[in-house]
């Protein structure tokens, strides 16, 4: 039970309960405005009936030819609203818009290799690992999980424009690329 | 830049590219009038309509139809909505393509919903929503609200064509619908279950609910379904408006929830029970005994609950965290009831402990920041604030946690610029806003993302005119005056800056909801309970202090408006609509505070004298005294300032001379001849006769001293009433008493006001000998009082660090140590608090001493 609505510039005044969480980065104003000024329909917010923000997703459309796709730049849910299926709904909207409006071949996202909870969730939503990106989260440094903490999985889900599922592959976990090779 | 493009466009009016660039340049500079933006607040209403009509014609005559892109469609609908052409809008929406766009675009669907409502299509909207819920599995709460609005539209008093029976039938059908969906969704989605609660609540409002037990039954059902999720408490809160019997049922239901737990879900259920029970506590249930028992229970369960999360990663939050926050809420209540600082000390110890278990708990940090400030340990508040990593736009919404009345704790007078630096850093965001945001408005135009533009503009405006921005400016100013020698340059610069601010329409973007509140609904929330000086400063506070300081700077400065106009380079603040009709600034500064402003100005209430939870929103005696002192001083000296201030042409000529010396170029249009007259200060009129200072000025510092001594006497009175222990002593030095700060700021304001009369040349030339003597007398008295206060503070800083004091603090935490919280940990926290307090008390004492010697002559 939450309101799903477009992300607005003034939401930056209210997203503290989400952004004070350690895994959610607060970017400069320009970051949010540049997404909103180009892909407003790929940015949405989940809000409680009280008006408190619960989570948001920020996405974009990029790539050329058969690489043209929707990309999830940030998806986040405040700690107190986790495990309510909010991320799933926001992803659903982003996929629908990527598919129907942007006519993308697939949707992709990056996730820390160590974040098994999230990886399971995305797999449950139809995503699969396309490749492993070395040092994508390099700035955090090696923690308990070693390489898994700083490497990212690039996960993809084909859209209706890719009925033959050419944008995914089954052995993606073994395909390793460096962070310089991805955009 | 704008002018350049305008010129170019005038020469080549058919060059579209130049036209577009001119437009963008205007947008970047926020000149909406030239950019033909109908939504600018400065645009008069009639003009708005014309502009919208123009836009309408443009949209409809465009060769590409608006439904080619979602954003054009949105723009078209917005224009129609502004012109109230709802039928046209409906026609657009009622096409296949219109419907298709609304299913894929949240923003178009939003505007469709508004337009349908405005056309009175509430029932149609409800039908559509029902369809989306059942066929498309849409669980957007907005759809449920649409169904509810439609259902209850049959009861609107304006529509008599519908019989009550028919209305009831609709309610019955909707209920059935929600019950069905709730059954289908089960634990997957809680929308329909909550919608049933909302339905019952609205039915009660309309007086058509038959079953008095139904609400509680639904709440119980909801709790059984969602009680193991953190959001359950917040979800249910709006529905807890219960009658006596219902409340009994609800309470016994909650009390029957098992207290033992083996899984995180069971623990969460227990936490929700605590929150919900606590929410309904009555005043009589908030006794010291009852709250003390609750603290013990919460802490016990918290420590127990930690075991469930022993394997969590260090980046995860503990499942039991909210129990520590609940205990904090109770401890704050206990402190409010008893004024006993030991409770706050227990709370910070518990929170510090919780942070060792949940390293990323920002809720613990937010509470710590507020409690450390109350405890007079500001450096620890700074540490936690920094650890939260507040950045970018959060500086605007969250810096109030650290910077609200931060000049209280500033040690800038001793050269420690920690807080002054925090002030400056927090204001960087306003610069990036003015540099960046307008550019994105241009980009949105270029990318045809019209739906975003109004929001971007509102965002820019709200950030640019942020209340917090200027509250911080005021705090910074008060720190600066203690740090820097007050000179005419400082006075001039600050005057110009503050005048910029004075006429702003401020927006309050501060985030006060971020802190979780678990206080009962009969009590105020934990945020208000932990305000440093009892209440949050706001528009009235800012206005009051702006008036005080601008007036003082204006009197102390040689820059009058005409001079400033000529000297000031760069952009002037945007003039808002209706500005010309206002009285001149000088007159407005001299006006007394309005009722509204007074009501908002918040003040400190003596912690000892305060009765439980009863304070009035008025000025404390001390801050009011300060404002009155400032007014009386300004009124007394105005005449002498005005007579002495060199005429504008002389000031300008002097400025021009200085500029030429520095840069080698003269200022344009300034006549240097004014400087060559033999005696520039010679006036036609005789100097005004010197009068005695008014009572409020002459006796101000004396009054302050009396109040200071009285507080000390009162304290010993309290001491004799209670058992005379050190605890009491410790409690009372928790923060500076306002007399000390008032004295500090009053002396500095006095320096600002009297700088001009320090010059013996000025005094002699104007026969102001008697005035100078009066001022010297007042200054002497002020310094004596402040030195007294300073030496009293030295004594206090010694008491703070005694072993007895340390033991008292440690004893306060027996609830935790008896349950296994490490003694070393506790002693560490204690030491940090003692050090931080000692540092700030000593620092302020030294600072006062330094200022006294700087301005004693």
């Amino acid at each position: 039970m939450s309101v799903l609505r477009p992300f607005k510039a003034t939401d930056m005044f209210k997203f503290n309960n989400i952004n004070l969480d350690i895994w959610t980065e607060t970017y400069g104003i320009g970051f949010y405005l540049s997404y909103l000024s180009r892909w407003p329909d790929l940015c949405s917010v989940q809000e409680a009936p009280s008006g408190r923000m619960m989570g948001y997703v920020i996405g974009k459309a990029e790539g050329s030819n058969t690489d043209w796709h929707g990309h999830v730049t940030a998806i986040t849910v405040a700690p107190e609203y986790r495990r309510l299926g909010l991320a799933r709904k926001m992803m659903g909207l982003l996929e629908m818009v990527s598919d129907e409006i942007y006519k993308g071949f697939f949707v992709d996202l990056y996730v820390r290799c160590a974040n098994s909870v999230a990886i399971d969730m995305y797999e449950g939503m139809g995503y699969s690992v396309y490749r492993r990106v070395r040092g994508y989260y390099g700035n955090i440094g090696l923690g308990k999980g070693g390489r898994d903490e700083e490497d990212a999985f690039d996960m993809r889900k084909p859209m209706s424009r890719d009925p033959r599922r050419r944008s995914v592959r089954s052995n993606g976990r073994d395909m390793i690329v460096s962070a310089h090779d991805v955009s | 830049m704008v002018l350049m493009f305008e010129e170019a466009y005038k020469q080549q009016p058919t060059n579209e590219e130049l036209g577009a660039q001119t437009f963008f340049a205007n947008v970047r500079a926020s000149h909406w009038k030239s950019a033909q933006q109908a939504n600018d607040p400065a645009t008069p209403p009639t003009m708005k309509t014309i502009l919208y009509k123009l836009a309408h014609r443009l949209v409809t005559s465009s060769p590409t139809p608006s439904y080619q892109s979602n954003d054009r469609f949105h723009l078209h609908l917005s224009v129609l909505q502004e012109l109230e052409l709802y039928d046209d809008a409906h026609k657009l929406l009622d096409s296949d393509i219109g419907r298709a766009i609304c299913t894929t675009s949240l923003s178009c669907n939003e505007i469709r919903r508004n337009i349908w409502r405005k056309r009175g299509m509430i029932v149609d909207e409800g039908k559509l929503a029902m369809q989306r819920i059942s066929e498309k599995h849409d669980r957007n709460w907005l759809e449920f609200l649409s169904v509810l609005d439609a259902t209850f539209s049959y009861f609107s008093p304006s529509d008599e064509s519908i019989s009550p029976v028919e209305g009831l039938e609709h309610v019955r059908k909707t209920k059935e619908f929600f019950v069905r969906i709730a059954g289908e969704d089960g634990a997957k989605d809680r929308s329909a279950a909550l919608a049933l609660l909302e339905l019952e609540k609205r039915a009660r409002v309309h007086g058509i609910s038959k079953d008095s037990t139904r609400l509680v039954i639904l709440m119980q059902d909801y709790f059984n379904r969602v009680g193991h999720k953190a959001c359950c408490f917040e979800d249910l809160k709006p529905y807890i408006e219960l009658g006596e019997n219902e409340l009994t049922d609800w309470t016994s239901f909650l009390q029957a929830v098992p207290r033992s737990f083996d899984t995180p879900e069971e623990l969460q259920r227990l936490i929700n029970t605590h929150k919900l029970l606590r929410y309904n506590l009555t005043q009589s249930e908030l006794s010291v005994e009852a709250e003390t028992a609750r603290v013990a229970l919460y802490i016990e369960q918290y420590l127990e609950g930690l075991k469930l999360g022993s394997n969590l990663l260090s980046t995860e939050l503990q499942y039991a965290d909210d129990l520590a926050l609940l205990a904090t809420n109770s401890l704050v209540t206990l402190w409010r009831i008893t004024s006993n600082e030991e409770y706050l000390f227990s709370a910070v110890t518990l929170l510090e402990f919780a942070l060792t278990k949940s390293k990323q708990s920002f809720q613990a940090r937010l509470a710590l920041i507020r409690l450390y400030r109350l405890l007079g340990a500001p450096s620890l508040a700074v540490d936690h604030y920094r650890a939260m990593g507040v950045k970018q736009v959060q500086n605007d919404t969250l810096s109030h946690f650290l910077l609200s009345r931060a000049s209280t704790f500033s040690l800038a007078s001793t050269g420690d610029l920690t807080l002054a630096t925090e002030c400056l850093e927090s204001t960087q965001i306003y610069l990036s806003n003015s540099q960046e945001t307008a550019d994105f408005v241009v980009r949105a135009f270029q990318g045809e993302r019209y739906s975003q533009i109004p929001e971007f503009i509102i965002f820019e405006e709200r950030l640019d005119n942020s209340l917090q921005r200027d509250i911080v400016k005021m705090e910074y100013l008060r720190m600066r005056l203690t740090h820097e020698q007050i000179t005419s340059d400082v006075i001039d610069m600050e005057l110009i800056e503050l005048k910029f601010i004075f006429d702003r329409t401020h927006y309050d973007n501060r985030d006060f909801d971020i802190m979780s509140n678990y206080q009962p609904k009969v009590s105020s929330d934990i945020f208000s309970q932990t305000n440093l000086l009892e209440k949050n400063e706001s528009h009235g506070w800012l206005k009051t202090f702006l008036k005080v300081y601008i007036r003082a700077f204006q009197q102390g400065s040689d820059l009058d408006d005409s001079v400033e106009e000529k000297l000031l380079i760069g952009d002037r603040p945007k003039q808002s609509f209706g500005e010309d009709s206002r009285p001149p600034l000088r007159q407005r500064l001299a006006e007394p505070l309005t009722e509204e402003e007074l009501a908002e100005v918040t003040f400190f209430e003596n912690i000892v004298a305060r009765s439980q939870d009863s304070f009035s929103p008025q000025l404390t005696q001390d801050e009011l005294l300060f404002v009155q002192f400032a007014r009386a001083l300004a009124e007394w000296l105005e005449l002498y300032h005005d007579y002495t201030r060199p005429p504008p042409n002389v000031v300008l000529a002097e400025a021009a001379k200085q500029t030429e010396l520095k840069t080698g170029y003269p200022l344009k249009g300034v006549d240097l001849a004014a400087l060559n007259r033999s005696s520039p200060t010679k006036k036609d009129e005789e100097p005004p006769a010197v009068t005695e200072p008014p009572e409020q000025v002459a006796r101000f510092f004396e009054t302050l001293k009396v109040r200071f001594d009285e507080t000390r006497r009162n304290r010993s009175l309290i001491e004799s009433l209670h058992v005379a222990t050190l605890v009491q002593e410790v409690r009372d030095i928790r923060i500076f008493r306002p007399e000390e700060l008032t004295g500090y700021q009053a002396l500095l304001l006095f320096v600002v006001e009297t700088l001009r009369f320090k010059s013996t040349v000025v005094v002699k030339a104007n026969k102001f000998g008697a005035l100078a003597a009066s001022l010297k007398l007042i200054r002497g008295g002020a310094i004596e009082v402040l030195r007294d206060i300073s030496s009293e503070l030295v004594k206090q800083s010694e008491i703070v660090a005694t072993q007895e004091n340390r033991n008292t603090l440690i004893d306060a935490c027996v609830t935790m140590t008896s349950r296994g919280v490490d003694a070393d940990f506790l002693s560490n926290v204690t030491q940090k608090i003692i050090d931080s307090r000692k540092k700030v008390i000593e620092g302020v004492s030294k600072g006062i001493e330094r200022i006294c010697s700087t301005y004693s002559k």
Side-chain angles (χ1 to χ4, degrees), chain B residues 271-322:
Chain B
I271 290 172
N272 279 326
T273 313
H274 283 316
K275 290 181 187 171
L276 288 163
L277 281 170
R278 186 169 177 78
Y279 185 69
N280 281 323
L281 292 180
T282 59
Q283 205 65 59
S284 63
E285 288 169 305
L286 287 169
S287 65
V288 173
E289 295 71 32
E291 278 291 78
T292 309
R294 277 180 209 115
V295 171
L297 179 68
Y298 296 149
I299 292 182
E300 192 181 313
Q301 292 179 343
Y302 167 66
L303 295 171
E304 188 61 29
L306 285 179
K307 292 176 189 158
L308 286 180
S310 52
N311 291 326
L312 288 173
L313 292 173
S314 66
T315 47
E316 295 281 312
L317 296 174
Q318 289 290 333
Y319 307 116
D321 275 354
D322 280 358

Side-chain angles (χ1 to χ4, degrees), chain A residues 1-23 25-34 36-41 43-44 48-50 52 54 79-84 86 89 93 96-97 100-102 144, chain B residues 70-71 103-104 106-107 110 139-142 188-191 194 229-231 234-235 265 313 315 317 319 360 362-363 366 388 390-394 396-398 429 432-433 436-437 440 443-444 447 449 451-452 455-456 458-459 462-463 509 511 513-514:
Chain A
M1 157 289 340
S2 53
V3 171
L4 182 60
R5 60 159 180 80
F7 193 113
K8 298 180 296 199
T10 47
D11 286 329
M12 281 189 256
F13 293 126
K14 339 178 9 189
F15 63 21
N16 290 322
N17 63 323
I18 300 167
N19 280 35
L20 283 175
D21 181 58
I22 178 74
W23 295 122
E25 178 66 24
T26 301
Y27 299 98
I29 298 172
F31 173 86
Y32 303 97
L33 297 184
S34 73
L36 290 174
S37 62
R38 297 178 68 184
W39 310 280
D41 40 2
C43 304
S44 67
S50 62
R52 198 172 172 89
M54 305 168 97
E80 72 253 46
Y81 300 113
R82 295 205 178 131
R83 286 185 285 189
L84 295 171
L86 297 184
K89 284 185 199 168
L93 179 80
M96 186 266 283
V97 175
E100 294 186 25
I101 305 292
Y102 290 92
K144 257 189 203 165
Chain B
N70 287 359
D71 257 83
T103 53
T104 54
L106 286 175
S107 53
E110 201 169 52
R139 292 295 177 268
N140 193 339
W141 181 241
L142 294 173
K188 266 200 328 235
D189 194 289
R190 59 205 212 289
S191 309
L194 200 76
K229 306 266 191 192
C231 60
E234 196 198 303
D235 287 348
E265 285 74 25
L313 292 173
T315 47
L317 296 174
Y319 307 116
Q360 310 300 341
F362 65 85
Q363 286 295 349
L366 289 171
M388 283 202 311
V390 165
K391 53 175 122 158
Q392 304 295 347
V393 67
Q394 291 175 324
D396 185 44
T397 52
L398 292 175
I429 187 64
S432 359
N433 182 42
E436 289 176 33
T437 307
F440 285 100
R443 284 200 215 175
R449 297 308 196 184
S451 64
Q452 297 304 309
E455 276 292 322
F456 283 16
I458 292 169
F459 175 79
R462 274 181 60 180
L463 196 51
N509 305 325
D511 188 345
D513 297 326
I514 182 71

Side-chain angles (χ1 to χ4, degrees), chain B residues 448-510:
Chain B
E448 299 201 355
R449 297 308 196 184
Y450 306 113
S451 64
Q452 297 304 309
I453 293 163
E455 276 292 322
F456 283 16
I457 293 165
I458 292 169
F459 175 79
E460 185 183 15
E461 181 87 4
R462 274 181 60 180
L463 196 51
D464 200 41
N465 297 299
S466 160
L467 180 66
Q468 176 65 7
R469 176 186 198 170
D470 293 336
I471 285 176
V472 170
K473 166 70 197 162
M474 187 48 73
E475 290 299 325
Y476 180 73
L477 166 69
R478 305 212 293 169
M479 294 179 198
R480 182 181 183 189
L481 292 182
T482 68
H483 175 64
E484 277 176 51
Q485 173 92 31
I486 298 170
T487 60
S488 58
D489 277 353
V490 171
I491 293 176
D492 291 348
M493 291 311 293
E494 290 295 347
L495 172 65
I496 292 169
E497 272 198 58
L498 292 190
K499 276 167 67 183
F500 258 57
I501 296 174
F502 190 71
D503 285 321
R504 271 187 186 153
T505 306
H506 286 104
Y507 294 86
D508 193 354
N509 305 325
R510 294 173 295 175

Side-chain angles (χ1 to χ4, degrees), chain B residues 488-490 492-493 567 569 651-667 672:
Chain B
S488 58
D489 277 353
V490 171
D492 291 348
M493 291 311 293
L567 289 182
I569 306 159
V651 178
L652 269 177
E654 180 60 33
K657 200 174 114 191
Q658 293 302 330
T659 314
E660 196 169 351
L661 284 177
K662 261 188 237 162
T663 63
Y665 298 99
L667 279 179
L672 280 172

Side-chain angles (χ1 to χ4, degrees), chain A residues 81-110:
Chain A
Y81 300 113
R82 295 205 178 131
R83 286 185 285 189
L84 295 171
L86 297 184
R88 192 177 284 270
K89 284 185 199 168
M90 293 189 287
M91 289 293 286
L93 179 80
L94 187 137
E95 286 164 15
M96 186 266 283
V97 175
S98 300
D99 194 34
E100 294 186 25
I101 305 292
Y102 290 92
K103 314 280 182 213
F105 288 87
F106 59 93
V107 169
D108 79 342
L109 55 88
Y110 288 88

